Amino acid sequence: MRVITATAVALALAALAGGGTSATATPTAYRQTVDGFWRMDGYGTVLAIRNGTFQEFQTTAVSCIEGDSARRTGPGTYTTPDGTVITVRTQGHRDHASMRADGSVGDRKLRRIGELPEACTRPGDGGPLAAFDVFWQSFEENYPFFSAKGIDWHAVREQYRPKVDAKTTEDELFDVFSDMVRPLHDAHVAVQHGDSVFAQVRPGTTVPTGELDTKVKKFIVERDLKDARNLQEFADGRITYADLPGGQGYLRISGFGGYAGEDTSYAAQLAELDKALDTALGKDRPRRLKGLIIDLRINGGGSDALGINIAGRLTDNPYAAYAKRARNDPADPTRHTRPQPAYVLPAHGPRYTGPIAVLTGGSTFSAGETFTQALMDRPGRTVRIGQPTQGVFSDVMVRELPNGMSAFLPNEEFLTSSGRTFDGTGIPPHLTEPVFTKEEFDRKKDSAFDRAVSVLRNHGGSGG
């Protein structure tokens, strides 16, 4: 199963282009327990697990389309061709199980069913109208934010379905689908047709591209860190640390992944992250620091679990980061899976527990946002400075269409301890400052960074 963890779709698509080998020592009793057909709570998915193979079927009321597959690589573990490890475990009863993909926070509940739905056992229509219906139905059953965004999805169907007939070309259909989702302004929504991708961000914000990251990093090193000591880069350049002249530390994170070169496995990412943090927070630095700036202003997202691991370096006490739930009633957008809490546990490695200033902006995407959210209830003083984050938190569902096109959409919400979500609007700062505007670049200013230094120097942080 392709599980695109919280990340900007426009960037995640670029990463979608050695599978594992089938294990032979799995006990027969365990194999009998997990083998069979399963329906997932939410996510519009049915699974077939048989003879060492894990097969996904993406279902709606009008379709069943074969999705990704994986091969068994250990007891209860399956590995996809792109290296994602999926773990399936029964939960106290042979008819109840859970599934977890590495790099994702939380698991997905499974209920055993007797057989595949009939639609999964026969060929489907691959014509333009069928593709339209599957596209519309996928959003109808899974997208959580139509009401919040003021979109009447049924009216959208009435407007656009008459534009499609048996002679509609794939290019024309791509344009129709793009027009249908354009008003959502959701960076976790995309349409893909071959090399063509439609995706967009919240108005007034910028996609955190590699080019922007390079430009900003150069600006920061030359302007903000010109007098810093111990400037170091880690994790393929995605993490930067420096000691500032006033005694504060500066930690820049441009993504939650891409740390280990060609090795995209979660284990490799976590190993590189731990290596970086062991060095950045090692020796007696946490004791000496008078504050820590964490710069997330250009962050394309990635693995939520890596963010939870970083948060574990910033506390001596366990606490709840957030709770995660998904739509699970195709006919009722107000119904969800039971919220699953995600907890921050103190890490075994070096930790810093003093005041923190978190820099955010409209180019703080996805896992950058879930990490920001994970620090909201952090014990200790934490202040957010800059601009609101992008406003996309969910993992991204990949929906294959019967004509070979693909749709990408969110179906989850991340809840604060009070039940609030920040989808669409983003997480607001405590202290508002411009972030990498043309004027700031032209005048060689970095108001958010300067404010963070001042706050940590004079007050040691505030807010929460």
Side-chain angles (χ1 to χ4, degrees):
M1 174 179 292
R2 256 185 299 173
V3 179
I4 300 183
T5 52
T7 187
V9 164
L11 300 180
L13 285 170
L16 298 176
T21 57
S22 180
T24 58
T26 305
T28 301
Y30 185 86
R31 191 164 63 243
Q32 290 174 343
T33 301
V34 179
D35 276 13
F37 304 109
W38 302 88
R39 184 177 294 280
M40 197 176 292
D41 184 11
Y43 301 91
T45 299
V46 169
L47 304 176
I49 303 176
R50 297 172 288 186
N51 303 319
T53 299
F54 173 108
Q55 180 63 57
E56 171 197 24
F57 293 89
Q58 302 170 359
T59 64
T60 71
V62 299
S63 63
C64 177
I65 297 175
E66 191 172 288
D68 291 322
S69 62
R71 298 294 300 177
R72 188 171 65 238
T73 49
T77 61
Y78 300 81
T79 303
T80 67
D82 69 0
T84 300
V85 178
I86 298 167
T87 302
V88 182
R89 293 280 188 267
T90 54
Q91 291 192 314
H93 190 284
R94 70 178 302 273
D95 292 337
H96 299 277
S98 65
M99 187 202 84
R100 179 185 292 262
D102 59 1
S104 184
V105 172
D107 55 28
R108 301 181 182 184
K109 306 303 180 185
L110 307 176
R111 178 175 54 84
R112 191 184 293 275
I113 56 177
E115 59 186 8
L116 285 176
E118 182 184 353
C120 301
T121 63
R122 51 180 168 77
D125 182 357
L129 283 169
F132 181 98
D133 290 340
V134 174
F135 180 85
W136 184 87
Q137 196 73 33
S138 296
F139 280 82
E140 166 71 6
E141 296 184 6
N142 296 289
Y143 191 73
F145 310 123
F146 287 126
S147 177
K149 292 176 180 287
I151 302 297
D152 183 341
W153 192 237
H154 288 256
V156 171
R157 185 179 190 275
E158 292 174 4
Q159 177 182 354
Y160 286 98
R161 198 173 191 275
K163 301 177 183 291
V164 180
D165 58 32
K167 297 180 180 180
T168 301
T169 68
E170 289 188 349
D171 287 343
E172 291 169 338
L173 196 58
F174 174 80
D175 291 340
V176 167
F177 291 161
S178 301
D179 289 342
M180 290 170 68
V181 299
R182 194 183 309 275
L184 297 176
H185 295 291
D186 190 323
H188 272 175
V189 169
V191 184
Q192 183 180 29
H193 168 42
D195 293 333
S196 299
V197 177
F198 172 82
Q200 62 179 356
V201 297
R202 178 164 57 81
T205 64
T206 304
V207 174
T209 62
E211 292 78 8
L212 179 60
D213 182 54
T214 298
K215 175 183 178 180
V216 166
K217 182 187 294 187
K218 182 175 184 293
F219 178 82
I220 287 173
V221 168
E222 293 177 353
R223 195 266 184 195
D224 300 335
L225 306 182
K226 65 180 185 299
D227 297 321
R229 295 177 295 107
N230 302 316
L231 175 61
Q232 301 173 82
E233 285 198 351
F234 308 94
D236 245 7
R238 314 280 326 254
I239 297 175
T240 302
Y241 180 83
D243 289 315
L244 301 178
Q248 300 84 17
Y250 173 83
L251 180 66
R252 182 173 185 268
I253 306 170
S254 64
F256 292 89
Y259 296 163
E262 295 183 1
D263 189 343
T264 60
S265 68
Y266 177 72
Q269 310 305 307
L270 182 57
E272 289 298 319
L273 176 63
D274 281 338
K275 190 185 306 181
L277 296 177
D278 284 347
T279 301
L281 299 178
K283 299 182 179 178
D284 63 343
R285 182 170 282 135
R287 181 181 57 81
R288 291 187 292 104
L289 285 180
K290 298 177 181 178
L292 178 64
I293 298 171
I294 300 180
D295 192 345
L296 306 173
R297 289 175 293 177
I298 307 298
N299 187 296
S303 166
D304 297 321
L306 292 177
I308 292 289
N309 274 277
I310 298 174
R313 299 291 191 126
L314 305 173
T315 182
D316 282 338
N317 300 296
Y319 67 96
Y322 43 70
K324 181 178 178 179
R325 69 181 185 181
R327 270 198 64 179
N328 73 338
D329 187 332
D332 186 350
T334 67
R335 294 178 63 88
H336 301 83
T337 58
R338 182 186 300 274
Q340 284 190 62
Y343 294 98
V344 176
L345 304 177
H348 295 297
R351 299 192 298 271
Y352 168 78
T353 60
I356 289 175
V358 182
L359 307 184
T360 68
S363 296
T364 307
F365 274 54
S366 206
E369 302 183 82
T370 65
F371 174 59
T372 301
Q373 189 168 351
L375 299 181
M376 293 180 72
D377 289 330
R378 169 185 174 265
R381 291 170 291 182
T382 305
V383 59
R384 298 185 304 275
I385 300 174
Q387 294 288 315
T389 63
Q390 175 67 208
V392 289
F393 295 77
S394 171
D395 289 352
V396 180
M397 299 180 70
V398 184
R399 299 281 96 172
E400 307 298 343
L401 303 180
N403 65 343
M405 297 169 66
S406 301
F408 298 73
L409 66 151
N411 70 322
E412 300 168 335
E413 295 177 331
F414 282 64
L415 309 176
T416 66
S417 56
S418 63
R420 181 178 178 182
T421 68
F422 295 98
D423 288 282
T425 62
I427 298 174
H430 296 111
L431 304 174
T432 300
E433 294 288 351
V435 172
F436 302 132
T437 61
K438 183 178 184 302
E439 180 185 10
E440 291 264 301
F441 277 128
D442 290 345
R443 298 177 60 185
K444 292 184 169 49
K445 291 184 61 178
D446 192 347
S447 300
F449 175 88
D450 291 348
R451 186 76 177 273
V453 170
S454 174
V455 166
L456 291 176
R457 180 187 299 126
N458 297 325
H459 306 292
S462 61

